[in-house]
Amino acid sequence: MKVTAFSLAALAAASLSPGLALAADAETLYQAKACVACHKIDGPMVGPSYQDVAKKYAGQDGAATTLAKHIKEGSQGIWGAIPMPPNAVTDEEAKTLAEWILQQK
């Protein structure tokens, strides 16, 4: 019964706050896709931290669209010599991840 009550409370909170739902979905995608192999939220690995990405794109028009394209298609030369390969994500998943990454501060 506790699990059901918690689940209902979490569902209610997510429906009242779409930002929380986005964060939960995006973090789940981040963990499930290849992102964690090269990126951390708060420090560099093979690729830049998501906080650094958010800083670089802060205030730029179309940043989420640009970043979603880089996630889906890959990129090279933006953060140094190591290229980011294309990722097996849908357009919607790439958009969700991009919007979440841009929220990391």
Side-chain angles (χ1 to χ4, degrees):
M1 190 61 158
K2 289 181 183 178
V3 173
T4 304
F6 175 77
S7 298
L8 290 174
L11 181 61
S15 66
L16 294 174
S17 178
L20 288 176
L22 170 65
D25 291 345
E27 191 157 0
T28 299
L29 280 172
Y30 162 71
Q31 295 293 334
K33 301 295 181 176
C35 310
V36 296
C38 297
H39 297 279
K40 291 191 322 186
I41 294 170
D42 60 357
M45 282 181 59
V46 174
S49 75
Y50 286 155
Q51 290 175 343
D52 287 344
V53 174
K55 286 177 192 171
K56 180 174 184 147
Y57 289 98
Q60 292 186 25
D61 289 338
T65 301
T66 298
L67 191 53
K69 181 178 178 181
H70 292 171
I71 291 168
K72 188 163 175 82
E73 299 177 6
S75 64
Q76 187 168 358
I78 297 170
W79 293 93
I82 300 172
M84 183 171 86
N87 289 278
V89 295
T90 66
D91 290 343
E92 189 62 33
E93 288 171 334
K95 179 183 174 194
T96 298
L97 284 164
E99 290 171 352
W100 176 72
I101 290 166
L102 293 171
Q103 292 175 8
Q104 304 308 305
K105 303 279 189 243

